[in-house]
Amino acid sequence: MDITNDLQLVDAMLARARAAQAAYEAHGSQRRYDLAAQAAGWAVMQPERNRQLAELAVRTTGLGNVADKIAKNHRKTLGLLRDIQGIQTHGVLSDDPDTGIAEIARPIGVIGAVVPSTNPVATPTNNIVNALKCGNAIVLSPSPKGTACCEMLLAFIHAEFDKIGEDRDLVQMLPGAGSKAKTQRLLETADLVVVTGSQDNVRRAYESGTPAIGVGAGNVAVIVDETADLIDAARKITLSKTFDNATSCSSENALIVVDAVYDDFLAALAAEGGAVVPSSQAQAIVSRLWQDGHLNREVIAQDADVMIGKLGLAGKVAQGTRFVAVETEGIGPGHPLSGEKLSRVAALYRARDFDHAAELARRILQHQGAGHSVGLHSRDTARPVVLGSSLPVCRVIVNQAHSFATGGAFDNGLPFSLSMGCGSWGGNAIDTNLHWRHFMQRTRIVRPIPPREPTLEEIFAFYWQEAGK
């Protein structure tokens, strides 16, 4: 099939989506929007379907593991449905007599969503639920390896739509095999594009001429200071680093441990299955983890035993090793360990003190992952504020398993999401977790009110006092 036919198919799909969205909005209600969003959520959370989706994801992408994907699909979708429950996204939202302004919820239209192979079920589900909740249609552009998952996901959603009489054209995916040309057409013709995944796709979205929300790259550094509960920190870091074989952009990529507790922390880490590779062997790890300048697909996002074998560590690390921490000092383009590794491998840095640890974290973030997040295990309540006031990050995750916490958790206040905005540091338009508010716009009714024009004295009294007239 030639490119012209491909683009015509995309255009026809967008036309169907626009027609479906127009009817969805014209005959919309909060009940209808909520019902459609819940239908999409249940399509994934029904246990047997969740398992089928997780198994297909691992089989077709070769990334992650089934048990953790089942947990991720369930927890992320349940948390999102909790977040949007009771949220008004239809009709008059407010009417303030003091300002004379009333606000009306309005859909954006057709959302174009580019989704990654690392989370081929949870990420599109999150986008679909948010889009439907706010009165939109959505068209997905999955990665080539995620196409089969999206097809199965949409089949399950459409089956639920049939039960409630909803229009299947509200949720579609680009036809056929994935291609840059079709994705580009979607980017250029949707009303809003949401992009999670490669930074190349994010840049293309911002350059498309369509309003776009892209998210930045992850390369999480986590500091363990001398006040930390070392056993708790080691347990949480291990749980986070090994979850779904480190496919999350929020997985720890660098552990920065203060000298005073370095040895004790490594002992705690070993008890949890974290094996330390000394710096003398770091180059051997690098040569196996990166090949021809790219991460080795036989290592990334693999189970521990596979990773250990491919890295040449069989018989060199303890039985039961769940991940490896490689001692290093280097940071920057010439030091691959300081970047994202998408595997059960972390870089391990020894810091003189907390100030040195913060500086190492800054350098790592400036190399890769600026804007995303930093972790801190500490009992010092002032230090999170120090990091949040000085490092280029939108989130400081304190005493939590990072990959569970950054995208929202039941024990923190962040909204559940799989797409983390990184602000200007990461070249993004948002600095929050992508959530329902980004899928809705507002119309404002503006009425006249009694004038409130201040005098010059009311405005400039402070300045005149400091500087004179």
Side-chain angles (χ1 to χ4, degrees):
M1 185 176 292
D2 60 32
I3 292 177
T4 300
N5 286 338
D6 278 352
L7 299 186
Q8 289 174 344
L9 287 174
V10 175
D11 291 343
M13 177 171 288
L14 263 291
R16 294 197 303 275
R18 291 196 187 285
Q21 190 279 324
Y24 191 49
E25 180 178 4
H27 304 288
S29 65
Q30 194 64 64
R31 180 182 182 279
R32 184 177 181 184
Y33 292 176
D34 289 349
L35 196 62
Q38 288 202 346
W42 180 240
V44 172
M45 289 187 66
Q46 196 276 338
E48 179 54 32
R49 290 190 297 234
N50 187 355
R51 172 167 291 281
Q52 290 180 49
L53 287 162
E55 290 174 346
L56 181 62
V58 173
R59 187 165 65 250
T60 55
T61 68
L63 305 173
N65 64 74
V66 172
D68 288 348
K69 286 198 182 296
I70 289 172
K72 182 185 294 185
N73 296 343
H74 179 92
R75 189 178 74 244
K76 288 290 189 179
T77 308
L78 180 64
L80 171 61
L81 292 171
R82 181 209 66 178
D83 288 348
I84 66 174
Q85 191 168 41
I87 296 292
Q88 184 182 352
T89 56
H90 181 273
V92 177
L93 301 173
S94 64
D95 193 346
D96 186 346
D98 291 335
T99 64
I101 294 176
E103 292 191 340
I104 302 172
R106 301 294 301 279
I108 290 173
V110 177
I111 309 296
V114 181
V115 295
S117 58
T118 48
N119 290 303
V121 176
T123 297
T125 299
N126 192 280
N127 289 329
I128 291 166
V129 170
N130 279 319
L132 294 170
K133 170 72 176 182
C134 296
N136 305 290
I138 185 168
V139 177
L140 304 176
S141 174
S143 68
K145 289 187 175 182
T147 299
C149 278
C150 266
E151 289 174 343
M152 180 179 283
L153 172 63
L154 263 60
F156 290 155
I157 290 174
H158 290 162
E160 292 300 315
F161 274 12
D162 291 347
K163 289 161 60 175
I164 61 173
E166 195 50 87
D167 190 341
R168 289 185 171 199
D169 283 344
L170 287 171
V171 181
Q172 301 181 68
M173 62 178 283
L174 292 181
S179 77
K180 287 189 175 182
K182 287 187 287 189
T183 298
Q184 188 64 32
R185 187 67 148 212
L186 176 65
L187 295 178
E188 293 171 354
T189 54
D191 297 307
L192 172 73
V193 290
V194 176
V195 183
T196 305
S198 78
Q199 291 306 289
D200 178 60
N201 281 336
V202 171
R203 285 189 292 271
R204 288 169 59 204
Y206 281 132
E207 294 169 356
S208 67
T210 300
I213 299 174
V215 296
N219 185 33
V220 169
V222 174
I223 295 170
V224 180
D225 77 7
E226 73 279 7
T227 74
D229 180 332
L230 301 183
I231 294 174
D232 182 66
R235 180 179 63 85
K236 288 176 177 174
I237 287 170
T238 302
L239 285 172
S240 173
K241 181 60 181 172
T242 60
F243 183 75
D244 202 20
N245 294 344
T247 55
S248 171
C249 64
S250 299
S251 293
E252 291 84 345
N253 274 286
L255 311 181
I256 305 172
V257 185
V258 170
D259 181 72
V261 294
Y262 190 84
D263 292 335
D264 288 341
F265 176 71
L266 295 195
L269 204 62
E272 295 293 336
V276 174
V277 176
S279 57
S280 61
Q281 299 175 30
Q283 187 53 45
I285 300 298
V286 170
S287 65
R288 289 176 171 86
L289 185 51
W290 283 270
Q291 296 183 344
D292 299 322
H294 301 286
L295 284 167
N296 183 352
R297 291 190 173 275
E298 294 183 351
V299 178
I300 61 172
Q302 299 301 308
D303 291 341
D305 58 339
V306 175
M307 178 268 297
I308 289 168
K310 294 296 183 180
L311 292 181
L313 294 173
K316 298 179 182 179
V317 294
Q319 287 290 111
T321 291
R322 301 171 66 190
F323 80 101
V324 296
V326 184
E327 290 186 315
T328 186
E329 295 180 354
I331 298 171
H335 304 278
L337 285 169
S338 64
E340 191 171 30
K341 290 165 281 295
L342 201 67
S343 61
R344 292 174 178 245
V345 179
L348 177 61
Y349 296 85
R350 188 168 189 155
R352 294 186 300 273
D353 52 26
F354 174 75
D355 289 342
H356 184 216
E359 180 57 28
L360 290 173
R362 175 194 298 281
R363 290 174 56 200
I364 290 168
L365 289 162
Q366 288 173 338
H367 164 54
Q368 189 181 105
H372 196 285
S373 53
V374 68
L376 175 65
H377 290 273
S378 175
R379 291 189 177 97
D380 188 321
T381 57
R383 285 180 172 176
V385 179
V386 170
L387 297 180
S389 302
S390 60
L391 296 188
V393 292
C394 294
R395 301 158 198 82
V396 179
I397 305 299
V398 183
N399 295 328
Q400 296 170 73
H402 205 100
S403 66
F404 300 155
T406 314
F410 292 112
D411 58 355
N412 74 32
L414 289 174
F416 276 82
S417 179
L418 291 104
S419 307
M420 274 57 79
C422 298
S424 63
W425 298 295
N428 298 161
I430 64 171
D431 61 3
T432 62
N433 291 7
L434 181 73
H435 66 287
W436 66 268
R437 182 63 185 84
H438 300 113
F439 291 77
M440 186 182 81
Q441 52 196 350
R442 302 181 185 210
T443 295
R444 290 162 182 83
I445 309 299
V446 185
R447 307 183 190 90
I449 59 173
R452 297 182 298 179
E453 182 178 353
T455 65
L456 290 177
E457 287 75 12
E458 287 174 319
I459 296 299
F460 288 106
F462 168 72
Y463 179 75
W464 290 342
Q465 181 180 347
E466 294 294 318
K469 290 188 179 182

